[in-house]
Amino acid sequence: MTSLARALSGSRQGWLGLIILVSLLFGALMAPWLSPYAPSERVARPFQPPSRHHLLGTNDIGQDILSEIIWGSRASLGTGVVTALAATTVGTAVGIAAGYYGGWVDGLFMRIVDLFLVIPFLPLMILLAAYAGPSFHHLMLVMVFLMWARPARIIRSQVLTLKSWTYVESARAAGARAGYIMRYHILPGVLSLVVAQLVMTASLAILIEASLSFLGLGDPVQKSWGSILFYAHSRSAFLTGAWVWWILPPGLLITLTVMGFALTGFALDTVLNPRLRATGITYPTRKKEEKPLTPAP
Amino acid sequence: MRSGWGRQVGQYVLLLVFTLLINFALPRAMPGSPLAYLAGEDVGLLTPEQRTEILSRHGLHEPLWKQFALFVHNLTRGDLGHSYRQGRPVAEIIAERLPWTLLLATTALIIQTMLGVWLGARAAWSRGTRLDVWLMSTFMLFRSMPSFWIAMILLAVFGAQLGWFPMFGAFRPWAGHTGPAHILDILRHLFLPALSLILLGAAETFMTMRYAMLSVLGENYITVARAKGLAERDVLYRHAGRNALLPVATVFMLSLGFSVSGATVIETVFAYPGLGRLMYEAVLSRDYPVLQASFLTITLAVIVANLLADTLYAFLDPRVRI
């Protein structure tokens, strides 16, 4: 993991991504102190343009939009990160098991993975979320259910190469149990890939949460950036000048968050994936002599 | 190849079965009476006759396996259920909406592929230049944006502020246009939704084409072509481009399904009367039969598109046919 941190620090994109993420996280944590009003309080007349008291104006029921957005970052970031953590954990477990055991276990798991990769993603999510009812827990469950497949497939292929390495074979020859080998020999070897997948999944999860909330499937009590846009759209904010302060800011923040995750992810991927380095699709790194990460024996 | 094709078909059959099982299980697994989900949560408003009609239509008093048999039997007859919200068969509603989604998705898909291929080839050719970096970062930016948000901004700027394009719908029903005027009207309504899809979709093709071109450009036959004194244009498009197209074909195939589901959110923004907008309306009014049928139809569209693409791919790449 220390080598992972070192790898990131050598990349300008990685730094930029990290800075974006840390400042957004800071904003989310400091929401009670940063936001001028309580997000659910009706503090002024509805549909006010920006003013000294309400920097981004007020929404359709007179809530302060700036406060809504600052508090919304908790819902958006939280859903994205928790979903990504859960989906990557499931994906890692499946990937390691399938790759290590091979045979029918691998065949079965990969069939299921393929199924989840071809399925029309968003329509199924809408269907499931509609049945489950609007709440963040349901939304996250549905997202995890549909997002574990991609990390599983990628991690499995890495496990396949790791499995034939001599240190794994010698551990097996020494009589180590499968569980032990997977825990102490395979997992450390894929850990950096897992982190990269985690970051990528988080950026995707934030976009999907936004889409689902925009379709009215978000939590009506705790608004995320997506649900702010849902209300802005259903009150036709795009017809008037209101789109500048009601639609533009939440979308920009979603874009910024996704960029933050993507930049970090690309930086990790460039360092971790030797094939990308060889073919010239490198994102410029400061230190040229940086070596690709090799699994620590 | 034959075994590969068989594998693919097996995959699609599995997907279909999975979809059917989900559609069958969801209303029955939810807490409360399945009646609410099959009728669209208006159980209280149903007349006793409608209630018995639903019960017998779905065989709700029968054992589960008989219910499933009935469910599949109804589907094969083209009976997708009844929308009690709209008071008519779901199949009829779907049939109205499907063509619009297909029009939007295919238009966007074709244009985004051409755009992505062209720009990807250009970027790879002049890699490392300002043009390349600029294109790369622009597409990266587009990929980080929520699709519906791009759509909302386009709508606000080009629809509301500038008034260049219509704000909603697929055509103007009361204008009474016919012939060429009607087609022009449809195209004008199609422009902004398609543009939103293209801005997003082209990124994937662009990245793939650029990557493929970069690896092809290092090949010996490119050096030979250049050494022969061929014009750069010819080397780029005839020699390098052709061989770089194969990975793009794969992306194209993957996008076939994605476009249909990607259109879901875009249609919602523009109130475009496709399947996606239908799903949105069904979510808001909790019209479960319509939701289920839309999902099933989209899955079927994806399967058909993928089968077509698999067959086409075998023609494109002779190596697959061996």
Side-chain angles (χ1 to χ4, degrees), chain A residues 87 116 124 128 140-149, chain B residues 18 22:
Chain A
F116 276 93
L124 178 56
L128 290 177
M140 286 194 275
L141 263 178
V142 170
M143 284 165 73
V144 171
F145 176 67
L146 286 170
M147 290 183 81
W148 60 273
Chain B
F18 182 69
I22 282 192

Side-chain angles (χ1 to χ4, degrees), chain B residues 181-199:
Chain B
H182 185 54
I183 291 174
L184 195 71
D185 189 41
I186 288 178
L187 288 180
R188 270 169 50 90
H189 282 81
L190 186 63
F191 187 85
L192 285 181
L195 183 63
S196 328
L197 273 179
I198 290 165
L199 285 180

Side-chain angles (χ1 to χ4, degrees), chain A residues 96 100-101 168 171-172 175-186:
Chain A
I96 290 183
Y100 185 77
Y101 286 114
V168 177
R172 207 177 322 162
R177 278 176 300 113
Y180 181 88
I181 297 179
M182 284 191 271
R183 169 75 186 77
Y184 291 101
H185 293 290
I186 305 279

Side-chain angles (χ1 to χ4, degrees), chain A residues 110-116 118-134 145 207 210-212 214-217 226 229-230 232-234 237-241 243 247-252 254-256 258-259 262-263 266 275-276 279-281 283, chain B residues 7-8 10-12 14-16 18-19 22-23 26-27 30 37 136-137 140-141 143-149 152-153 155-157 160-161 167 207 210-211 214-215 257 260-262 264-265 268-270 277 279-280 283-284 286 288-289 291-292 294-295 298-299 302 306:
Chain A
M110 284 309 112
R111 263 303 156 89
I112 300 175
V113 164
D114 282 341
L115 183 69
F116 276 93
V118 278
I119 212 158
F121 202 65
L122 204 58
L124 178 56
M125 275 199 178
I126 295 172
L127 184 72
L128 290 177
Y131 270 100
F145 176 67
L207 276 181
S211 298
L212 290 178
F214 172 70
L215 292 172
L217 293 164
L229 290 169
F230 165 71
H233 181 253
S234 52
F238 48 84
L239 283 179
T240 60
W243 68 275
I247 294 177
L248 218 49
L252 281 177
I254 297 173
T255 310
L256 198 65
V258 176
M259 283 284 266
L263 286 173
F266 274 133
R275 273 183 59 207
L276 278 182
T279 40
I281 314 276
Y283 300 88
Chain B
R7 234 184 116 86
Q8 290 294 332
Q11 191 68 45
Y12 300 141
L14 210 63
L15 174 59
L16 190 61
F18 182 69
T19 309
I22 282 192
N23 269 351
L26 272 178
M30 287 292 133
Y37 296 100
M136 284 273 285
S137 21
M140 267 249 328
L141 188 68
R143 247 180 22 169
S144 310
M145 291 177 179
S147 53
F148 62 88
W149 183 67
M152 282 165 99
I153 301 288
L155 184 63
V157 175
Q161 306 281 304
M167 305 277 299
M207 298 287 178
R210 185 180 173 280
Y211 185 88
L214 281 180
S215 48
V260 178
S261 52
T264 311
V265 201
T268 302
V269 175
F270 293 97
R277 173 74 188 187
M279 281 196 99
Y280 171 73
V283 165
L284 290 190
R286 301 279 177 236
Y288 295 100
L291 263 181
Q292 288 204 349
S294 310
F295 172 58
I298 291 176
T299 310
V302 168
N306 276 313

Side-chain angles (χ1 to χ4, degrees), chain B:
Chain B
M1 173 53 205
R2 179 158 299 156
S3 66
W5 196 76
R7 234 184 116 86
Q8 290 294 332
V9 173
Q11 191 68 45
Y12 300 141
V13 172
L14 210 63
L15 174 59
L16 190 61
V17 172
F18 182 69
T19 309
L20 290 181
L21 278 177
I22 282 192
N23 269 351
F24 176 75
L26 272 178
R28 290 166 177 83
M30 287 292 133
S33 159
L35 207 61
Y37 296 100
L38 295 168
E41 244 178 38
D42 263 352
V43 195
L45 298 176
L46 294 174
T47 59
E49 295 85 60
Q50 277 179 323
R51 198 183 262 272
T52 31
E53 198 261 335
I54 300 174
L55 281 174
S56 68
R57 175 199 283 270
H58 299 286
L60 286 180
H61 43 271
E62 306 271 2
L64 264 187
W65 67 269
K66 260 194 178 163
Q67 290 185 31
F68 188 71
L70 190 63
F71 171 76
V72 175
H73 176 73
N74 280 344
L75 282 181
T76 48
R77 284 188 314 161
D79 180 359
L80 292 171
H82 194 88
S83 166
Y84 293 88
R85 288 278 160 192
Q86 301 202 24
R88 57 203 184 115
V90 176
E92 203 180 294
I93 305 174
I94 298 275
E96 273 171 26
R97 303 295 193 104
L98 183 62
W100 294 114
T101 295
L102 290 181
L103 175 69
L104 176 60
T106 40
T107 311
L109 192 62
I110 291 168
I111 297 177
Q112 84 194 24
T113 304
M114 295 197 311
L115 195 71
V117 164
W118 176 55
L119 291 177
R122 282 298 308 273
W125 191 251
S126 42
R127 64 187 166 285
T129 63
R130 190 177 292 180
L131 174 78
D132 182 28
V133 173
W134 190 82
L135 281 174
M136 284 273 285
S137 21
T138 312
F139 277 118
M140 267 249 328
L141 188 68
F142 278 133
R143 247 180 22 169
S144 310
M145 291 177 179
S147 53
F148 62 88
W149 183 67
I150 298 184
M152 282 165 99
I153 301 288
L154 288 177
L155 184 63
V157 175
F158 297 103
Q161 306 281 304
L162 297 170
W164 290 355
F165 293 97
M167 305 277 299
F168 59 87
F171 60 94
R172 234 187 300 187
W174 57 86
H177 288 309
T178 45
H182 185 54
I183 291 174
L184 195 71
D185 189 41
I186 288 178
L187 288 180
R188 270 169 50 90
H189 282 81
L190 186 63
F191 187 85
L192 285 181
L195 183 63
S196 328
L197 273 179
I198 290 165
L199 285 180
L200 268 153
E204 195 74 32
T205 318
F206 170 81
M207 298 287 178
T208 316
M209 183 65 186
R210 185 180 173 280
Y211 185 88
M213 272 300 256
L214 281 180
S215 48
V216 167
L217 285 177
E219 299 277 342
N220 286 334
Y221 61 84
I222 299 295
T223 320
V224 170
R226 274 210 196 119
K228 281 196 298 192
L230 289 184
E232 291 286 275
R233 269 189 79 84
D234 288 342
V235 181
L236 178 58
Y237 293 111
R238 298 208 167 171
H239 291 251
R242 276 192 191 185
N243 289 295
L245 274 179
L246 275 179
V248 174
T250 315
V251 172
F252 182 79
M253 283 160 39
L254 290 175
S255 326
L256 277 174
F258 185 77
S259 299
V260 178
S261 52
T264 311
V265 201
I266 304 288
E267 284 175 4
T268 302
V269 175
F270 293 97
Y272 202 77
L275 281 180
R277 173 74 188 187
L278 183 64
M279 281 196 99
Y280 171 73
E281 290 161 3
V283 165
L284 290 190
S285 61
R286 301 279 177 236
D287 196 345
Y288 295 100
V290 169
L291 263 181
Q292 288 204 349
S294 310
F295 172 58
L296 182 67
T297 314
I298 291 176
T299 310
L300 277 178
V302 168
I303 291 176
V304 170
N306 276 313
L307 275 175
L308 268 176
D310 286 343
T311 320
L312 272 178
Y313 196 67
F315 282 102
L316 274 180
D317 189 352
R319 282 172 300 183
V320 186
R321 255 176 294 165
I322 300 169

Side-chain angles (χ1 to χ4, degrees), chain A residues 11 13 22 32 38 45 51 57 61 96 114 139 153 156 163 165 209-210 234 237 249 251 255 273 285 293:
Chain A
S11 140
Q13 270 95 342
V22 168
R45 279 189 298 131
S51 63
I61 51 172
I96 290 183
D114 282 341
L139 210 60
R153 184 169 262 301
R156 167 194 173 258
K163 199 169 68 167
W165 280 44
E209 188 275 328
S234 52
T255 310
N273 190 345
T285 45
L293 286 183

Side-chain angles (χ1 to χ4, degrees), chain A residues 3-285:
Chain A
S3 44
L4 202 73
R6 212 176 49 228
L8 249 187
S9 69
S11 140
R12 222 179 309 157
Q13 270 95 342
W15 266 114
L16 186 60
L18 271 184
I19 290 173
I20 293 176
L21 291 182
V22 168
S23 24
L24 285 168
L25 191 69
F26 178 79
L29 288 177
M30 301 298 277
W33 292 276
L34 285 176
S35 66
Y37 302 92
S40 52
E41 204 183 332
R42 298 179 179 198
V43 289
R45 279 189 298 131
F47 298 113
Q48 290 292 301
S51 63
R52 222 157 18 91
H53 303 292
H54 303 283
L55 289 177
L56 293 176
T58 56
N59 69 6
D60 54 323
I61 51 172
Q63 297 163 337
D64 182 58
I65 294 181
L66 178 65
S67 310
E68 252 193 323
I69 290 175
I70 295 176
W71 280 91
S73 66
R74 289 191 167 190
S76 292
L77 290 177
T79 325
V81 172
V82 173
T83 306
L85 271 175
T88 318
T89 309
V90 176
T92 307
V94 170
I96 290 183
Y100 185 77
Y101 286 114
W104 68 266
V105 179
D106 189 32
L108 178 72
F109 274 135
M110 284 309 112
R111 263 303 156 89
I112 300 175
V113 164
D114 282 341
L115 183 69
F116 276 93
L117 291 178
V118 278
I119 212 158
F121 202 65
L122 204 58
L124 178 56
M125 275 199 178
I126 295 172
L127 184 72
L128 290 177
Y131 270 100
S135 108
F136 268 114
H137 298 287
H138 293 162
L139 210 60
M140 286 194 275
L141 263 178
V142 170
M143 284 165 73
V144 171
F145 176 67
L146 286 170
M147 290 183 81
W148 60 273
R150 195 170 295 272
R153 184 169 262 301
I154 290 168
I155 285 158
R156 167 194 173 258
S157 56
Q158 176 84 358
V159 173
L160 284 184
T161 49
L162 277 181
K163 199 169 68 167
S164 56
W165 280 44
T166 32
Y167 69 87
V168 177
E169 294 206 325
S170 47
R172 207 177 322 162
R177 278 176 300 113
Y180 181 88
I181 297 179
M182 284 191 271
R183 169 75 186 77
Y184 291 101
H185 293 290
I186 305 279
L187 184 63
V190 291
L191 206 54
S192 31
L193 190 66
V194 170
V195 175
Q197 279 304 306
L198 177 71
V199 173
M200 291 299 194
T201 313
S203 82
L204 195 62
I206 286 193
L207 276 181
I208 291 174
E209 188 275 328
S211 298
L212 290 178
S213 294
F214 172 70
L215 292 172
L217 293 164
D219 201 317
V221 181
Q222 203 184 0
K223 279 189 208 166
S224 70
W225 293 331
S227 23
I228 296 177
L229 290 169
F230 165 71
Y231 286 104
H233 181 253
S234 52
R235 302 292 178 263
S236 300
F238 48 84
L239 283 179
T240 60
W243 68 275
V244 178
W245 57 86
W246 199 357
I247 294 177
L248 218 49
L252 281 177
L253 281 171
I254 297 173
T255 310
L256 198 65
T257 315
V258 176
M259 283 284 266
F261 277 114
L263 286 173
T264 318
F266 274 133
L268 287 173
D269 216 25
T270 316
V271 183
L272 301 177
N273 190 345
R275 273 183 59 207
L276 278 182
R277 296 161 66 85
T279 40
I281 314 276
T282 42
Y283 300 88
T285 45

